[in-house]
Amino acid sequence: MSSSWISRSLATHVLVALFGMGSWVSINSLWVELPVVVKSLPEGWNLPAYLSVLIALGNVGSVSVTLTHHFAPGWLKERWLIHAIQLLAVGATLFLALFWHRTVAIAGVEHSLAYLVLAFLLALVCCTSNVSFLPFMYQFPPLFVRTFFIGQGLSALLPCVLALGQGVGQLQCLNGTHGNASQPHYLEENFSATTFFWLLLGLLGISASAFLALLFWHREGDPSPGKSSSQESVASEESFPLQTDGAPTSDSAVENPGPEASSTKLPATGFWTRRNIYLLVLLGVSSALTNGVLPSVQSYSCLPYGGMAYHLSVVLSNIANPVACFVAMFLLCRSSLGSCSWASSPT
């Protein structure tokens, strides 16, 4: 194995991680910046409720892409869709950095219309990336798909690190002028929300540049890094569609059947089998715990120990995602019982 191939493969892993980082970094950044922007926007602490609704409405993008693939197969190209998604994300973040604090009067009540509209556009981008980024990664060997999930973990980790550097949620308890009661005094952040959104714009620019670099390397006459070794890995379980019983059948094996395949034909199995339904239910439960149940109670369980404990718990929990993806590159768990144990571990 030549050193040039190793360096090229390592560079591709870095580019894939940076590309995956741009998937949900926008919405994660809006969440961690809420303690800062609520002090300036008229919605106040009702803003998280608005943001939750806007993120739910953003799923119209992923539904539209899925329906387009179903009713018009081949009409929508992932490459151009990703270009459009990244361009919309960069443009929305640029306007967010410039106009997030602007308010307008609607029916005599002040509303942060610019922030809400731009938050919806970013939610649309993030939700649509779920059904566009991963299909593009199918052009690469399975090892790079795990690197992509590490990048998605970074989309949650990096905003939290920036928020900690910003000093979100730090306060002092000052003695009151009357009696012994103390009053909370919130400290000024190390940098403003506007600067935070400019940094977010930089992260999105890095992700878009990484995608362009992946396209450039993929277009070259030399195949993408690891593609030669992917032919060797075609006999591994990772290279085959999701099946339950019998020997797996890869796409290449279907297109180029061997001499023994002509005489022996394996029975076709449908997707909705017991094992696949079990895996889908397991995925739904783990996603609900990770993205819905635990974040909703995390503030209540951590805030008695202080705001810094809450932010540290958020950062450390987001570190677990990329670390788990990195470990999965070397240690795979194919047991149903083991998968159930890992999925129920957050509880």
mmCIF file of all heavy atoms in Angstrom, residues 205-254:
data_model
loop_
_atom_site.group_PDB
_atom_site.id
_atom_site.type_symbol
_atom_site.label_atom_id
_atom_site.label_comp_id
_atom_site.label_asym_id
_atom_site.label_seq_id
_atom_site.Cartn_x
_atom_site.Cartn_y
_atom_site.Cartn_z
ATOM 1 N N GLY A 205 -19.411 27.338 5.001
ATOM 2 C CA GLY A 205 -18.526 27.517 3.853
ATOM 3 C C GLY A 205 -17.489 26.410 3.763
ATOM 4 O O GLY A 205 -17.154 25.934 2.664
ATOM 5 N N ILE A 206 -16.960 25.992 4.913
ATOM 6 C CA ILE A 206 -15.994 24.892 4.925
ATOM 7 C C ILE A 206 -16.652 23.601 4.434
ATOM 8 O O ILE A 206 -16.067 22.838 3.646
ATOM 9 C CB ILE A 206 -15.414 24.710 6.338
ATOM 10 C CG1 ILE A 206 -14.540 25.913 6.711
ATOM 11 C CG2 ILE A 206 -14.613 23.418 6.448
ATOM 12 C CD1 ILE A 206 -14.055 25.897 8.145
ATOM 13 N N SER A 207 -17.896 23.336 4.865
ATOM 14 C CA SER A 207 -18.597 22.136 4.438
ATOM 15 C C SER A 207 -18.854 22.154 2.933
ATOM 16 O O SER A 207 -18.682 21.132 2.249
ATOM 17 C CB SER A 207 -19.911 22.004 5.202
ATOM 18 O OG SER A 207 -20.637 20.870 4.779
ATOM 19 N N ALA A 208 -19.275 23.307 2.406
ATOM 20 C CA ALA A 208 -19.518 23.409 0.965
ATOM 21 C C ALA A 208 -18.227 23.222 0.172
ATOM 22 O O ALA A 208 -18.218 22.585 -0.882
ATOM 23 C CB ALA A 208 -20.165 24.754 0.639
ATOM 24 N N SER A 209 -17.131 23.776 0.676
ATOM 25 C CA SER A 209 -15.843 23.611 -0.005
ATOM 26 C C SER A 209 -15.398 22.147 0.007
ATOM 27 O O SER A 209 -14.832 21.656 -0.978
ATOM 28 C CB SER A 209 -14.785 24.491 0.667
ATOM 29 O OG SER A 209 -15.159 25.862 0.631
ATOM 30 N N ALA A 210 -15.658 21.448 1.107
ATOM 31 C CA ALA A 210 -15.312 20.027 1.177
ATOM 32 C C ALA A 210 -16.114 19.219 0.161
ATOM 33 O O ALA A 210 -15.581 18.288 -0.463
ATOM 34 C CB ALA A 210 -15.564 19.496 2.592
ATOM 35 N N PHE A 211 -17.376 19.578 -0.034
ATOM 36 C CA PHE A 211 -18.182 18.877 -1.035
ATOM 37 C C PHE A 211 -17.650 19.128 -2.451
ATOM 38 O O PHE A 211 -17.590 18.196 -3.280
ATOM 39 C CB PHE A 211 -19.631 19.322 -0.932
ATOM 40 C CG PHE A 211 -20.537 18.711 -1.964
ATOM 41 C CD1 PHE A 211 -20.773 17.350 -1.962
ATOM 42 C CD2 PHE A 211 -21.139 19.490 -2.931
ATOM 43 C CE1 PHE A 211 -21.609 16.771 -2.916
ATOM 44 C CE2 PHE A 211 -21.970 18.928 -3.883
ATOM 45 C CZ PHE A 211 -22.204 17.566 -3.875
ATOM 46 N N LEU A 212 -17.257 20.352 -2.737
ATOM 47 C CA LEU A 212 -16.674 20.645 -4.047
ATOM 48 C C LEU A 212 -15.386 19.869 -4.260
ATOM 49 O O LEU A 212 -15.123 19.370 -5.365
ATOM 50 C CB LEU A 212 -16.425 22.146 -4.174
ATOM 51 C CG LEU A 212 -17.665 23.043 -4.248
ATOM 52 C CD1 LEU A 212 -17.260 24.513 -4.272
ATOM 53 C CD2 LEU A 212 -18.503 22.700 -5.479
ATOM 54 N N ALA A 213 -14.577 19.745 -3.208
ATOM 55 C CA ALA A 213 -13.339 18.977 -3.328
ATOM 56 C C ALA A 213 -13.623 17.504 -3.569
ATOM 57 O O ALA A 213 -12.939 16.842 -4.363
ATOM 58 C CB ALA A 213 -12.491 19.158 -2.073
ATOM 59 N N LEU A 214 -14.660 16.956 -2.909
ATOM 60 C CA LEU A 214 -15.030 15.564 -3.149
ATOM 61 C C LEU A 214 -15.480 15.348 -4.588
ATOM 62 O O LEU A 214 -15.136 14.339 -5.223
ATOM 63 C CB LEU A 214 -16.147 15.153 -2.189
ATOM 64 C CG LEU A 214 -15.756 14.893 -0.731
ATOM 65 C CD1 LEU A 214 -16.999 14.629 0.110
ATOM 66 C CD2 LEU A 214 -14.797 13.726 -0.625
ATOM 67 N N LEU A 215 -16.245 16.299 -5.125
ATOM 68 C CA LEU A 215 -16.674 16.190 -6.521
ATOM 69 C C LEU A 215 -15.470 16.255 -7.464
ATOM 70 O O LEU A 215 -15.403 15.514 -8.451
ATOM 71 C CB LEU A 215 -17.658 17.310 -6.858
ATOM 72 C CG LEU A 215 -19.061 17.202 -6.275
ATOM 73 C CD1 LEU A 215 -19.893 18.403 -6.686
ATOM 74 C CD2 LEU A 215 -19.732 15.911 -6.719
ATOM 75 N N PHE A 216 -14.518 17.134 -7.171
ATOM 76 C CA PHE A 216 -13.342 17.277 -8.031
ATOM 77 C C PHE A 216 -12.521 15.989 -8.038
ATOM 78 O O PHE A 216 -12.098 15.516 -9.097
ATOM 79 C CB PHE A 216 -12.497 18.455 -7.544
ATOM 80 C CG PHE A 216 -11.214 18.628 -8.303
ATOM 81 C CD1 PHE A 216 -11.218 19.182 -9.574
ATOM 82 C CD2 PHE A 216 -10.012 18.233 -7.751
ATOM 83 C CE1 PHE A 216 -10.038 19.337 -10.281
ATOM 84 C CE2 PHE A 216 -8.829 18.385 -8.439
ATOM 85 C CZ PHE A 216 -8.836 18.937 -9.716
ATOM 86 N N TRP A 217 -12.321 15.398 -6.863
ATOM 87 C CA TRP A 217 -11.541 14.163 -6.785
ATOM 88 C C TRP A 217 -12.291 13.005 -7.424
ATOM 89 O O TRP A 217 -11.692 12.110 -8.007
ATOM 90 C CB TRP A 217 -11.218 13.835 -5.330
ATOM 91 C CG TRP A 217 -10.107 14.666 -4.783
ATOM 92 C CD1 TRP A 217 -9.668 15.870 -5.271
ATOM 93 C CD2 TRP A 217 -9.297 14.372 -3.655
ATOM 94 N NE1 TRP A 217 -8.645 16.344 -4.505
ATOM 95 C CE2 TRP A 217 -8.388 15.451 -3.500
ATOM 96 C CE3 TRP A 217 -9.255 13.330 -2.744
ATOM 97 C CZ2 TRP A 217 -7.446 15.489 -2.497
ATOM 98 C CZ3 TRP A 217 -8.326 13.368 -1.734
ATOM 99 C CH2 TRP A 217 -7.428 14.434 -1.606
ATOM 100 N N HIS A 218 -13.617 13.035 -7.319
ATOM 101 C CA HIS A 218 -14.400 11.936 -7.869
ATOM 102 C C HIS A 218 -14.443 11.998 -9.391
ATOM 103 O O HIS A 218 -14.629 10.981 -10.057
ATOM 104 C CB HIS A 218 -15.813 11.982 -7.302
ATOM 105 C CG HIS A 218 -16.596 10.731 -7.522
ATOM 106 N ND1 HIS A 218 -16.257 9.535 -6.941
ATOM 107 C CD2 HIS A 218 -17.701 10.469 -8.285
ATOM 108 C CE1 HIS A 218 -17.115 8.590 -7.315
ATOM 109 N NE2 HIS A 218 -17.996 9.141 -8.119
ATOM 110 N N ARG A 219 -14.309 13.210 -9.954
ATOM 111 C CA ARG A 219 -14.344 13.366 -11.403
ATOM 112 C C ARG A 219 -13.029 12.979 -12.062
ATOM 113 O O ARG A 219 -12.979 12.780 -13.267
ATOM 114 C CB ARG A 219 -14.650 14.831 -11.755
ATOM 115 C CG ARG A 219 -16.131 15.166 -11.688
ATOM 116 C CD ARG A 219 -16.415 16.394 -12.507
ATOM 117 N NE ARG A 219 -17.615 17.046 -12.024
ATOM 118 C CZ ARG A 219 -17.647 18.257 -11.519
ATOM 119 N NH1 ARG A 219 -16.530 18.948 -11.408
ATOM 120 N NH2 ARG A 219 -18.764 18.780 -11.105
ATOM 121 N N GLU A 220 -11.948 12.957 -11.309
ATOM 122 C CA GLU A 220 -10.648 12.654 -11.897
ATOM 123 C C GLU A 220 -10.636 11.250 -12.470
ATOM 124 O O GLU A 220 -11.405 10.381 -12.087
ATOM 125 C CB GLU A 220 -9.541 12.790 -10.833
ATOM 126 C CG GLU A 220 -9.279 14.230 -10.440
ATOM 127 C CD GLU A 220 -8.156 14.335 -9.423
ATOM 128 O OE1 GLU A 220 -7.829 13.301 -8.822
ATOM 129 O OE2 GLU A 220 -7.627 15.427 -9.251
ATOM 130 N N GLY A 221 -9.724 11.032 -13.379
ATOM 131 C CA GLY A 221 -9.614 9.716 -13.994
ATOM 132 C C GLY A 221 -9.296 8.646 -12.997
ATOM 133 O O GLY A 221 -9.756 7.503 -13.099
ATOM 134 N N ASP A 222 -8.477 8.969 -11.973
ATOM 135 C CA ASP A 222 -8.178 8.001 -10.926
ATOM 136 C C ASP A 222 -9.412 7.790 -10.078
ATOM 137 O O ASP A 222 -10.051 8.758 -9.659
ATOM 138 C CB ASP A 222 -7.032 8.543 -10.060
ATOM 139 C CG ASP A 222 -6.560 7.516 -9.050
ATOM 140 O OD1 ASP A 222 -6.726 6.312 -9.324
ATOM 141 O OD2 ASP A 222 -6.026 7.932 -8.015
ATOM 142 N N PRO A 223 -9.831 6.590 -9.808
ATOM 143 C CA PRO A 223 -11.032 6.381 -8.999
ATOM 144 C C PRO A 223 -10.865 6.931 -7.612
ATOM 145 O O PRO A 223 -9.773 7.172 -7.132
ATOM 146 C CB PRO A 223 -11.188 4.845 -8.994
ATOM 147 C CG PRO A 223 -9.827 4.313 -9.284
ATOM 148 C CD PRO A 223 -9.168 5.323 -10.180
ATOM 149 N N SER A 224 -11.996 7.111 -6.972
ATOM 150 C CA SER A 224 -11.979 7.685 -5.629
ATOM 151 C C SER A 224 -11.214 6.795 -4.687
ATOM 152 O O SER A 224 -11.142 5.588 -4.865
ATOM 153 C CB SER A 224 -13.422 7.864 -5.125
ATOM 154 O OG SER A 224 -14.034 6.610 -5.006
ATOM 155 N N PRO A 225 -10.610 7.384 -3.646
ATOM 156 C CA PRO A 225 -9.795 6.606 -2.729
ATOM 157 C C PRO A 225 -10.576 5.455 -2.141
ATOM 158 O O PRO A 225 -11.694 5.611 -1.691
ATOM 159 C CB PRO A 225 -9.395 7.628 -1.657
ATOM 160 C CG PRO A 225 -9.562 8.940 -2.304
ATOM 161 C CD PRO A 225 -10.650 8.785 -3.307
ATOM 162 N N GLY A 226 -9.946 4.308 -2.138
ATOM 163 C CA GLY A 226 -10.580 3.144 -1.547
ATOM 164 C C GLY A 226 -11.490 2.393 -2.484
ATOM 165 O O GLY A 226 -12.021 1.355 -2.137
ATOM 166 N N LYS A 227 -11.708 2.920 -3.728
ATOM 167 C CA LYS A 227 -12.614 2.224 -4.621
ATOM 168 C C LYS A 227 -12.025 0.909 -5.093
ATOM 169 O O LYS A 227 -12.733 -0.043 -5.344
ATOM 170 C CB LYS A 227 -12.951 3.129 -5.807
ATOM 171 C CG LYS A 227 -14.005 2.511 -6.718
ATOM 172 C CD LYS A 227 -14.632 3.544 -7.623
ATOM 173 C CE LYS A 227 -15.561 4.439 -6.876
ATOM 174 N NZ LYS A 227 -16.325 5.332 -7.730
ATOM 175 N N SER A 228 -10.705 0.866 -5.267
ATOM 176 C CA SER A 228 -10.093 -0.392 -5.654
ATOM 177 C C SER A 228 -10.241 -1.437 -4.555
ATOM 178 O O SER A 228 -10.474 -2.601 -4.820
ATOM 179 C CB SER A 228 -8.607 -0.172 -5.951
ATOM 180 O OG SER A 228 -7.958 0.358 -4.816
ATOM 181 N N SER A 229 -10.118 -0.975 -3.312
ATOM 182 C CA SER A 229 -10.290 -1.918 -2.210
ATOM 183 C C SER A 229 -11.744 -2.271 -1.978
ATOM 184 O O SER A 229 -12.049 -3.273 -1.344
ATOM 185 C CB SER A 229 -9.709 -1.338 -0.919
ATOM 186 O OG SER A 229 -10.409 -0.177 -0.560
ATOM 187 N N SER A 230 -12.675 -1.436 -2.508
ATOM 188 C CA SER A 230 -14.087 -1.755 -2.322
ATOM 189 C C SER A 230 -14.475 -2.988 -3.118
ATOM 190 O O SER A 230 -15.440 -3.674 -2.778
ATOM 191 C CB SER A 230 -14.960 -0.566 -2.747
ATOM 192 O OG SER A 230 -14.819 -0.345 -4.134
ATOM 193 N N GLN A 231 -13.763 -3.265 -4.209
ATOM 194 C CA GLN A 231 -14.034 -4.479 -4.941
ATOM 195 C C GLN A 231 -13.681 -5.705 -4.111
ATOM 196 O O GLN A 231 -14.309 -6.742 -4.219
ATOM 197 C CB GLN A 231 -13.256 -4.474 -6.259
ATOM 198 C CG GLN A 231 -13.683 -3.348 -7.195
ATOM 199 C CD GLN A 231 -12.870 -3.343 -8.475
ATOM 200 O OE1 GLN A 231 -11.906 -4.095 -8.594
ATOM 201 N NE2 GLN A 231 -13.251 -2.507 -9.407
ATOM 202 N N GLU A 232 -12.640 -5.568 -3.284
ATOM 203 C CA GLU A 232 -12.292 -6.671 -2.406
ATOM 204 C C GLU A 232 -13.311 -6.821 -1.282
ATOM 205 O O GLU A 232 -13.576 -7.925 -0.814
ATOM 206 C CB GLU A 232 -10.903 -6.443 -1.810
ATOM 207 C CG GLU A 232 -9.809 -6.316 -2.875
ATOM 208 C CD GLU A 232 -8.481 -5.983 -2.239
ATOM 209 O OE1 GLU A 232 -8.446 -5.848 -0.990
ATOM 210 O OE2 GLU A 232 -7.486 -5.858 -2.960
ATOM 211 N N SER A 233 -13.886 -5.688 -0.853
ATOM 212 C CA SER A 233 -14.835 -5.743 0.264
ATOM 213 C C SER A 233 -16.241 -6.101 -0.190
ATOM 214 O O SER A 233 -17.159 -6.096 0.608
ATOM 215 C CB SER A 233 -14.879 -4.395 0.987
ATOM 216 O OG SER A 233 -15.394 -3.405 0.131
ATOM 217 N N VAL A 234 -16.411 -6.371 -1.516
ATOM 218 C CA VAL A 234 -17.749 -6.696 -2.000
ATOM 219 C C VAL A 234 -18.248 -8.000 -1.396
ATOM 220 O O VAL A 234 -19.439 -8.276 -1.389
ATOM 221 C CB VAL A 234 -17.741 -6.775 -3.543
ATOM 222 C CG1 VAL A 234 -17.088 -8.085 -4.008
ATOM 223 C CG2 VAL A 234 -19.147 -6.663 -4.107
ATOM 224 N N ALA A 235 -17.316 -8.806 -0.885
ATOM 225 C CA ALA A 235 -17.730 -10.050 -0.246
ATOM 226 C C ALA A 235 -18.080 -9.866 1.214
ATOM 227 O O ALA A 235 -18.470 -10.812 1.884
ATOM 228 C CB ALA A 235 -16.607 -11.091 -0.359
ATOM 229 N N SER A 236 -17.904 -8.648 1.740
ATOM 230 C CA SER A 236 -18.217 -8.400 3.144
ATOM 231 C C SER A 236 -19.691 -8.079 3.299
ATOM 232 O O SER A 236 -20.371 -7.683 2.373
ATOM 233 C CB SER A 236 -17.370 -7.245 3.689
ATOM 234 O OG SER A 236 -17.734 -6.046 3.051
ATOM 235 N N GLU A 237 -20.181 -8.211 4.507
ATOM 236 C CA GLU A 237 -21.612 -7.993 4.763
ATOM 237 C C GLU A 237 -22.009 -6.550 4.582
ATOM 238 O O GLU A 237 -23.148 -6.241 4.257
ATOM 239 C CB GLU A 237 -21.927 -8.462 6.181
ATOM 240 C CG GLU A 237 -23.403 -8.412 6.521
ATOM 241 C CD GLU A 237 -23.650 -8.934 7.912
ATOM 242 O OE1 GLU A 237 -22.739 -9.537 8.488
ATOM 243 O OE2 GLU A 237 -24.764 -8.725 8.411
ATOM 244 N N GLU A 238 -21.055 -5.604 4.777
ATOM 245 C CA GLU A 238 -21.383 -4.190 4.675
ATOM 246 C C GLU A 238 -21.758 -3.800 3.260
ATOM 247 O O GLU A 238 -22.379 -2.776 3.050
ATOM 248 C CB GLU A 238 -20.181 -3.360 5.136
ATOM 249 C CG GLU A 238 -19.893 -3.462 6.605
ATOM 250 C CD GLU A 238 -20.734 -2.509 7.397
ATOM 251 O OE1 GLU A 238 -20.940 -1.383 6.936
ATOM 252 O OE2 GLU A 238 -21.193 -2.881 8.478
ATOM 253 N N SER A 239 -21.320 -4.547 2.244
ATOM 254 C CA SER A 239 -21.530 -4.163 0.864
ATOM 255 C C SER A 239 -22.850 -4.665 0.302
ATOM 256 O O SER A 239 -23.127 -4.438 -0.871
ATOM 257 C CB SER A 239 -20.385 -4.709 0.001
ATOM 258 O OG SER A 239 -19.145 -4.250 0.475
ATOM 259 N N PHE A 240 -23.657 -5.369 1.096
ATOM 260 C CA PHE A 240 -24.859 -5.987 0.579
ATOM 261 C C PHE A 240 -26.089 -5.265 1.099
ATOM 262 O O PHE A 240 -26.066 -4.650 2.149
ATOM 263 C CB PHE A 240 -24.921 -7.458 0.992
ATOM 264 C CG PHE A 240 -23.724 -8.239 0.545
ATOM 265 C CD1 PHE A 240 -22.929 -8.897 1.468
ATOM 266 C CD2 PHE A 240 -23.389 -8.290 -0.783
ATOM 267 C CE1 PHE A 240 -21.835 -9.602 1.051
ATOM 268 C CE2 PHE A 240 -22.290 -9.000 -1.204
ATOM 269 C CZ PHE A 240 -21.507 -9.656 -0.281
ATOM 270 N N PRO A 241 -27.207 -5.373 0.361
ATOM 271 C CA PRO A 241 -28.458 -4.805 0.856
ATOM 272 C C PRO A 241 -28.898 -5.486 2.140
ATOM 273 O O PRO A 241 -28.452 -6.575 2.465
ATOM 274 C CB PRO A 241 -29.443 -5.078 -0.302
ATOM 275 C CG PRO A 241 -28.588 -5.327 -1.506
ATOM 276 C CD PRO A 241 -27.326 -5.953 -0.981
ATOM 277 N N LEU A 242 -29.829 -4.832 2.837
ATOM 278 C CA LEU A 242 -30.334 -5.355 4.106
ATOM 279 C C LEU A 242 -31.180 -6.581 3.836
ATOM 280 O O LEU A 242 -32.194 -6.520 3.147
ATOM 281 C CB LEU A 242 -31.162 -4.279 4.812
ATOM 282 C CG LEU A 242 -31.643 -4.597 6.218
ATOM 283 C CD1 LEU A 242 -30.459 -4.821 7.139
ATOM 284 C CD2 LEU A 242 -32.525 -3.469 6.727
ATOM 285 N N GLN A 243 -30.742 -7.730 4.370
ATOM 286 C CA GLN A 243 -31.456 -8.973 4.166
ATOM 287 C C GLN A 243 -31.510 -9.720 5.481
ATOM 288 O O GLN A 243 -30.879 -9.352 6.451
ATOM 289 C CB GLN A 243 -30.787 -9.830 3.081
ATOM 290 C CG GLN A 243 -30.774 -9.121 1.717
ATOM 291 C CD GLN A 243 -30.388 -10.068 0.603
ATOM 292 O OE1 GLN A 243 -30.331 -11.278 0.793
ATOM 293 N NE2 GLN A 243 -30.134 -9.512 -0.554
ATOM 294 N N THR A 244 -32.238 -10.811 5.469
ATOM 295 C CA THR A 244 -32.410 -11.572 6.703
ATOM 296 C C THR A 244 -31.818 -12.956 6.597
ATOM 297 O O THR A 244 -30.976 -13.343 7.375
ATOM 298 C CB THR A 244 -33.907 -11.686 7.038
ATOM 299 O OG1 THR A 244 -34.580 -12.254 5.910
ATOM 300 C CG2 THR A 244 -34.498 -10.334 7.332
ATOM 301 N N ASP A 245 -32.253 -13.739 5.645
ATOM 302 C CA ASP A 245 -31.822 -15.122 5.534
ATOM 303 C C ASP A 245 -31.111 -15.334 4.210
ATOM 304 O O ASP A 245 -31.307 -14.597 3.256
ATOM 305 C CB ASP A 245 -33.012 -16.085 5.612
ATOM 306 C CG ASP A 245 -33.732 -15.933 6.931
ATOM 307 O OD1 ASP A 245 -33.040 -15.744 7.951
ATOM 308 O OD2 ASP A 245 -34.977 -15.985 6.930
ATOM 309 N N GLY A 246 -30.301 -16.364 4.183
ATOM 310 C CA GLY A 246 -29.616 -16.697 2.950
ATOM 311 C C GLY A 246 -28.391 -15.863 2.750
ATOM 312 O O GLY A 246 -28.118 -14.904 3.467
ATOM 313 N N ALA A 247 -27.618 -16.194 1.744
ATOM 314 C CA ALA A 247 -26.395 -15.452 1.437
ATOM 315 C C ALA A 247 -26.734 -14.127 0.822
ATOM 316 O O ALA A 247 -27.664 -14.011 0.023
ATOM 317 C CB ALA A 247 -25.522 -16.271 0.474
ATOM 318 N N PRO A 248 -26.031 -13.056 1.173
ATOM 319 C CA PRO A 248 -26.313 -11.747 0.604
ATOM 320 C C PRO A 248 -25.945 -11.704 -0.865
ATOM 321 O O PRO A 248 -25.093 -12.436 -1.338
ATOM 322 C CB PRO A 248 -25.445 -10.801 1.438
ATOM 323 C CG PRO A 248 -24.354 -11.658 1.958
ATOM 324 C CD PRO A 248 -24.922 -13.007 2.145
ATOM 325 N N THR A 249 -26.596 -10.784 -1.557
ATOM 326 C CA THR A 249 -26.367 -10.628 -2.987
ATOM 327 C C THR A 249 -26.050 -9.171 -3.260
ATOM 328 O O THR A 249 -26.884 -8.306 -3.050
ATOM 329 C CB THR A 249 -27.615 -11.048 -3.788
ATOM 330 O OG1 THR A 249 -27.942 -12.381 -3.432
ATOM 331 C CG2 THR A 249 -27.351 -10.992 -5.271
ATOM 332 N N SER A 250 -24.860 -8.876 -3.721
ATOM 333 C CA SER A 250 -24.461 -7.513 -4.010
ATOM 334 C C SER A 250 -24.927 -7.122 -5.393
ATOM 335 O O SER A 250 -25.260 -7.951 -6.237
ATOM 336 C CB SER A 250 -22.940 -7.383 -3.921
ATOM 337 O OG SER A 250 -22.331 -8.143 -4.936
ATOM 338 N N ASP A 251 -24.946 -5.801 -5.649
ATOM 339 C CA ASP A 251 -25.359 -5.315 -6.957
ATOM 340 C C ASP A 251 -24.422 -5.803 -8.049
ATOM 341 O O ASP A 251 -24.837 -6.136 -9.150
ATOM 342 C CB ASP A 251 -25.409 -3.783 -6.952
ATOM 343 C CG ASP A 251 -26.500 -3.282 -6.027
ATOM 344 O OD1 ASP A 251 -27.431 -4.063 -5.755
ATOM 345 O OD2 ASP A 251 -26.399 -2.125 -5.580
ATOM 346 N N SER A 252 -23.118 -5.800 -7.750
ATOM 347 C CA SER A 252 -22.163 -6.241 -8.751
ATOM 348 C C SER A 252 -22.319 -7.714 -9.051
ATOM 349 O O SER A 252 -22.118 -8.162 -10.177
ATOM 350 C CB SER A 252 -20.738 -5.965 -8.254
ATOM 351 O OG SER A 252 -20.502 -6.649 -7.049
ATOM 352 N N ALA A 253 -22.707 -8.497 -8.019
ATOM 353 C CA ALA A 253 -22.898 -9.911 -8.265
ATOM 354 C C ALA A 253 -24.133 -10.164 -9.112
ATOM 355 O O ALA A 253 -24.199 -11.126 -9.868
ATOM 356 C CB ALA A 253 -23.017 -10.663 -6.936
ATOM 357 N N VAL A 254 -25.140 -9.267 -8.996
ATOM 358 C CA VAL A 254 -26.328 -9.421 -9.822
ATOM 359 C C VAL A 254 -26.013 -9.081 -11.267
ATOM 360 O O VAL A 254 -26.482 -9.719 -12.202
ATOM 361 C CB VAL A 254 -27.470 -8.537 -9.280
ATOM 362 C CG1 VAL A 254 -28.649 -8.542 -10.225
ATOM 363 C CG2 VAL A 254 -27.885 -9.030 -7.911
#
